[in-house]
Amino acid sequence: MNVLLLGSGGREHALAWKLARSPGLTRLYAAPGNPGIAGHATLVRVDPADHAAVIAFARGHDIGLVVIGPEAPLVDGLADSLRAAGVPVFGPDKAAARLEGSKGFTKDLCARAGIPTAGYLRVRSRAEADAALAATFALPVVLKADGLAAGKGVTIAYSPAEAADALDALFDGPGFEATGEAVIEEFLDGEEASLFVLTDGTAIMPFGSAQDHKRVGEGDIGPNTGGMGAYSPARVLTPDLEARAIAEIVEPTLAAMREAGTPFSGVLYAGLMLTATGPKLIEYNARFGDPEAQVILPRFDGDLLPVMLATAEGRLGELAPARFVPDTALTIVVAAHGYPAAPRTGGRIDGIRDAEATGALVFQAGTRRDGQTLVASGGRVLAVTALAPSVAGAQAAANHAVDAIALPGGFHRRDIGWREVARERAGG
Ligand code: AMP
Ligand code: GLY
C-alpha cells in the first residue's frame, strides 16, 4: 500500500521511520517532509491547505492511507474532504478536531458529560474576563486563548497584574482571533502526564503514556516551548490511574462525540493533571504529541500501518491491544539559540551519524539542506531518543548521544526525565 504522510516535524519523522518498517508499505510519500523524513519517504509538494490538490495526489498515486501529522489541517477539515472523496485518512474530521481546536468546546463537553476537569468560564471580551476574574477566581488563575495558538495560548497568572498583562496579550493574539473567545480556568495542582489512545470513534486502543518538558530551561524554568524533551512511559500514570482516566475522561468524551453525530477517529492525546482526587483533563490534542511521538513510537512493538488503517476504517475493535517494550524511551530536543522567542536558524548540524552510532535514534524537526550541508531551519532542530531499562539509563544514553551532535549556538536540556530519575533513585 502507498501512504501519504503530511507534516514536517520531528513527530512526522518518527511516524515516517515507523511506517517505513511496515511490511505492508509499498511507497511512502511525505509533504512537505524534511531531510530526515527523506530517508524514509519520497518528498512531494502538495499543500495540505489545498484539499483538492491532496485528493488529486492521493488518486494519482494510488494512496491507500493519508496520515495527517499536525493539528492545523485537521482543524481546517482536510480529513472531511479526504473521507468525502473516499480516501482513507488517519485523523479526525473538523467537527471532532474541535476537541483540540476549541478549548471552550471541550470544557462545555466535559461539563455536560461530568468529566473531571478544572472549573472554567468562557469569555468573549476583555470586560467579561475582568468581571469573571473579580467575581469568581482565586489566584493563581489560568488564562487560555480558545483556538489553536501553537503552544503560546496559556498563561498561569499569580497576581492580578500578571492576569491583566496576559489578558492584554490574549485578546490581541492568534488563538483569540481564531474563535473570538478565551477561557478562564481554575488552577489544578499535581503532576502532569499525557495519555494516548487510538480510536475509530467506538473502540479504544491505549497507545502509551509520556511526560513532556515544556519549559525551555533545566529545572523547568523559563518560557513555555512546544516541548524540550519527553519520556515514555510516564510511570506516575499507574495502570490504575490510566484505567480511571480512560473510564472517567476518554470514554465519556468519545460517547459524547458519537451522540453529537461527530465521532472522533484518530489519536486522542489527553493532557492530564494527576490531582489528589484523581486524574483531571487539562486539554485534548487531536494528533500525536511532538516530541511525545519520538518516545511513544520507538516503544511500540507492532506494525503501525495496519493499526492506523484499522483506525481509519472503523475496524480497530478487531485488533489485539497494542504492545510496547518495557524499556523507557527518552528524547532530548536540540533547539536553536534563541528558541522559543527568536530562534537563530542557519547553523550547521554535524554528528548525526555519530549520535546514531551510540544506538540512539535521531529525529529531524527543523532542518533543511543547504547544498551538501544540513542546517537548522527552525526552533526545535532535532530530537535524540534513547531506550534503556531504567529512566536514569535512558537519560544517560540520550545525553551521551546528544554530545556527539554539533550545532553551533544550539542548546538542549540535560535533565529530561528528572522527576522520574529522582523517584528511581529514591527507590520508588
Ligand atoms: P495547554 O496548552 O492547555 O496544554 O496548557 C499548557 C500548560 O499549561 C499545561 O501543560 C499545563 O502545564 C498548564 N496548564 C493548563 N491548564 C492548567 C490548569 N487548569 N491548571 C494548572 N496548569 C494548567
Ligand atoms: N508536546 C506537546 C504537544 O505536542 O502538544
Side-chain angles (χ1 to χ4, degrees):
M1 164 174 301
N2 296 336
V3 175
L4 171 63
L5 170 65
L6 299 177
S8 64
R11 165 183 51 213
E12 287 77 24
H13 188 177
L15 286 165
W17 167 81
K18 191 67 188 175
L19 285 168
R21 302 160 90 88
S22 177
L25 182 78
T26 311
R27 237 173 132 179
L28 182 61
Y29 297 92
N34 70 33
I37 295 170
H40 310 286
T42 305
L43 304 194
V44 293
R45 275 178 216 234
V46 187
D47 178 5
D50 184 347
H51 298 188
V54 180
I55 292 165
F57 182 89
R59 289 196 173 134
H61 294 78
D62 198 19
I63 299 295
L65 180 69
V66 177
V67 176
I68 302 178
E71 59 275 21
L74 297 168
V75 170
D76 180 45
L78 178 59
D80 308 54
S81 300
L82 286 163
R83 283 195 183 94
V87 180
V89 52
F90 182 87
D93 283 347
K94 182 178 182 134
R98 276 182 298 173
L99 285 176
E100 172 162 6
S102 168
K103 293 185 191 293
F105 169 83
T106 299
K107 298 299 283 189
D108 284 356
L109 181 147
C110 288
R112 281 199 310 276
I115 293 168
T117 187
Y120 74 106
L121 275 174
R122 298 175 78 164
V123 291
R124 294 192 148 270
S125 69
R126 179 61 200 265
E128 260 181 59
D130 286 337
L133 277 179
T136 335
F137 286 93
L139 291 170
V141 65
V142 185
L143 308 160
K144 300 186 176 184
D146 182 69
L148 295 184
K152 291 183 185 134
V154 177
T155 302
I156 299 172
Y158 289 86
S159 69
E162 268 184 276
D165 284 351
L167 287 172
D168 286 343
L170 215 152
F171 281 96
D172 227 12
F176 176 69
E177 264 165 37
T179 62
E181 275 195 51
V183 173
I184 304 182
E185 266 183 38
E186 167 203 7
F187 177 79
L188 295 174
D189 213 3
E191 187 165 339
E192 282 180 55
S194 302
L195 172 65
F196 296 83
V197 303
L198 301 187
T199 175
D200 56 12
T202 307
I204 291 175
M205 180 185 278
F207 209 71
S209 64
Q211 195 174 69
D212 189 10
H213 295 58
K214 287 212 171 78
R215 302 298 193 112
V216 74
E218 287 176 11
D220 290 337
I221 55 163
N224 266 325
T225 69
M228 292 298 295
Y231 66 92
S232 170
R235 287 187 175 76
V236 285
L237 189 69
T238 59
D240 177 49
L241 288 175
E242 177 175 319
R244 274 188 69 181
I246 288 178
E248 296 170 18
I249 297 174
V250 175
E251 276 173 353
T253 299
L254 296 177
M257 296 303 283
R258 282 196 302 275
E259 281 155 25
T262 57
F264 182 98
S265 165
V267 56
L268 187 63
Y269 157 177
L272 304 172
M273 190 69 86
L274 306 179
T275 73
T277 57
K280 292 192 177 179
L281 180 71
I282 300 174
E283 60 152 8
Y284 278 127
N285 294 307
R287 34 89 192 163
F288 280 109
D290 189 341
E292 290 88 338
Q294 293 92 307
V295 288
I296 295 275
L297 294 170
R299 290 189 56 240
F300 174 49
D301 190 15
D303 186 350
L304 186 59
L305 179 52
V307 173
M308 284 187 145
L309 196 62
T311 302
E313 294 180 339
R315 297 182 287 101
L316 197 61
E318 296 168 12
L319 303 193
R323 288 191 357 202
F324 291 85
V325 299
D327 280 6
T328 292
L330 188 141
T331 199
I332 298 174
V333 168
V334 179
H337 182 80
Y339 177 73
R344 198 193 305 144
T345 58
R348 177 191 167 110
I349 304 160
D350 284 300
I352 289 182
R353 286 266 153 75
D354 301 319
E356 287 171 342
T358 69
L361 298 161
V362 179
F363 297 113
Q364 298 186 29
T367 65
R368 69 179 162 80
R369 286 226 171 268
D370 190 354
Q372 296 295 16
T373 313
L374 189 68
V375 300
S377 67
R380 294 191 292 176
V381 181
L382 305 171
V384 179
T385 301
L387 281 89
S390 69
V391 186
Q395 186 193 61
N399 276 327
H400 177 60
V402 168
D403 286 339
I405 305 253
L407 169 62
F411 70 98
H412 65 275
R413 285 180 58 170
R414 299 190 73 82
D415 67 341
I416 301 304
W418 63 270
R419 284 190 190 82
E420 199 60 43
V421 170
R423 276 192 288 263
E424 229 171 48
R425 289 217 174 98

